[in-house]
Amino acid sequence: MINKKVLAIILGGGQGTRLSPLTESRSKPAVSIAGKYRLVDIPITNCIHSDIKRMFVLTQFNSASLNSHIKNTYIFSSFSDAFVDVLAAEQTPDNKTWFQGTADAVRQSMHHFLNHDFDYALILSGDQLYQMDFNEMIDAHIAKEAEISIASLPVNPKDATQFGILKMDDQNFISAFTEKPSAAELPGWESEVSDEMKQENREYLASMGIYIFNKQLLVDLLSNPDTIDFGKEIIPDAIGKHKVLAYQYEGYWTDIGNIASFFEANIELANEVPKFDLFDNDRNILTRPRVLPPSKISGTCLDKIMIAEGCLIQAKEIERSVIGIRSRIGADTVIKNTYMIGSDRYQNIEELESDKNAGVPSIGVGERCQISNAIIDKDARIGNDVIIEGGQHLPDIKEDFYVVKDGIVVIKKGAIVPNNFKIVATPDTVI
């Protein structure tokens, strides 16, 4: 089935500098997660499971890999109205600028949306991790005769200072909104939440950046070209003028806006009972099907790890890590608290011999390495006897083939890390 009343609009975000260097050659929605998926798979999957199968993904930076992924993944019947289309920023006679913000992106793309029949626009972010049945939110929107609905997450006082906070009345309509209030400003902004949330001291409603707009209202609100952002302008201005509903969601949700949150979200998946359930039969995450062999593991002690398909692993030990597709890890290597994104291809025997003769590391991680608190981007080549010890002792730095952010060492896509390279206990010993 296809929900003909709803059109989904997935915002790909801007240049993604906070996720750099992972976004140096790809857009945020195309960044890998959990070793085999892309971030854009999350909102698209949630839509498909909710029978919302008409989707636009808006992006403007490094969209080639995103285009390729969507084209090769979301293929619907020729006799179906279902589609996932990527809309990159484009110059038109009426507008010669790039997207200036979330609302401006929707405004500039509106002529594409209006070619389709729909009653409600579901606006989503392309860089969040969650599993939600959008039908429940849509049903609440319709039942309350709302004009705008905002998905909200109960948060504690500490987290509340990092979000836009909503205040709702006894009918669940939003009466006030404040952006990232200070701790001193929080008293009085509590909302009615479930007993479970109260026990966890989560009594503040944070906007999740997930919106439902009635079609005509969205068109009307975007008629003013001076408003460029939903969270900072459209939503605050609409409160008090329109019926804006707060839809409470109490499941797992995280915003993957920077390297620290991206790292934590991936490593958390390796826990025995992760907060984000990849093994739910009814809410499984959809992605590009690949014809890959099973992973082969020899002599490795494994604890709390997740390994994708097609890996060749001879490591000594891997602990609390996520190992992506086609990863190769050499003998006697120890990897802990690391997300290894994997590779796009296998090297054949001739290439491996050529690399060896030239003294160039092969794709993957070499022998006798020690790696912790790191992200290894796709197709990186890490030599033998390399030590990378990320941690809060390291300052933020940018080098040719790696960066350090919030203590996490990020090896860049396609980087070559030479034999015996070391990032160890103190900044003075970086070699």
Side-chain angles (χ1 to χ4, degrees), residues 387-397 402 404 407 409 421-431:
I387 299 176
I388 297 173
E389 295 179 351
Q392 294 301 319
H393 57 276
L394 295 176
D396 287 0
I397 55 174
Y402 75 95
V404 178
V409 180
F421 177 83
K422 294 178 174 60
I423 301 176
V424 291
T426 66
D428 295 334
T429 57
V430 176
I431 297 175

Side-chain angles (χ1 to χ4, degrees), residues 70-88:
I70 288 177
K71 179 188 71 175
N72 292 317
T73 304
Y74 300 101
I75 303 170
F76 299 99
S77 167
S78 300
F79 301 100
S80 168
D81 292 331
F83 64 85
V84 182
D85 284 351
V86 177
L87 295 180

Side-chain angles (χ1 to χ4, degrees), residues 124-237:
L124 308 171
S125 173
D127 57 0
Q128 298 174 348
L129 190 61
Y130 63 104
Q131 291 165 306
M132 179 188 288
D133 184 351
F134 294 131
N135 288 313
E136 296 178 2
M137 183 175 175
I138 293 165
D139 290 344
H141 179 89
I142 295 172
K144 288 282 190 176
E145 298 182 347
E147 296 173 279
I148 304 171
S149 288
I150 303 175
S152 61
L153 184 79
V155 296
N156 61 38
K158 179 182 177 182
D159 292 339
T161 59
Q162 305 301 313
F163 292 97
I165 298 299
L166 315 171
K167 178 70 174 177
M168 68 178 189
D169 61 22
D170 56 3
Q171 296 297 313
N172 293 345
F173 286 106
I174 299 170
S175 57
F177 175 87
T178 182
E179 181 71 18
K180 295 183 179 179
S182 67
E185 295 171 324
L186 279 177
W189 281 90
E190 298 87 349
S191 288
E192 187 60 34
V193 296
S194 69
D195 291 340
E196 181 181 352
M197 294 295 99
K198 289 178 181 178
Q199 290 174 4
E200 296 179 14
N201 199 26
R202 294 168 58 180
E203 298 188 60
Y204 300 94
L205 291 182
S207 171
M208 296 166 61
I210 296 173
Y211 313 117
I212 296 173
F213 282 84
N214 289 355
K215 174 183 176 180
Q216 190 55 52
L217 179 60
L218 180 64
V219 173
D220 293 344
L221 292 176
L222 293 181
S223 62
N224 178 4
D226 294 330
T227 54
I228 62 173
D229 193 84
F230 283 110
K232 295 177 182 177
E233 297 165 319
I234 296 289
I235 296 301
D237 290 347

Side-chain angles (χ1 to χ4, degrees), residues 340-361:
M340 184 173 179
I341 291 179
S343 304
D344 278 328
R345 66 184 184 90
Y346 293 113
Q347 292 182 283
N348 58 37
I349 294 176
E350 290 76 15
E351 288 178 292
L352 293 172
E353 285 296 325
S354 176
D355 284 346
K356 184 177 180 181
N357 294 334
V360 176

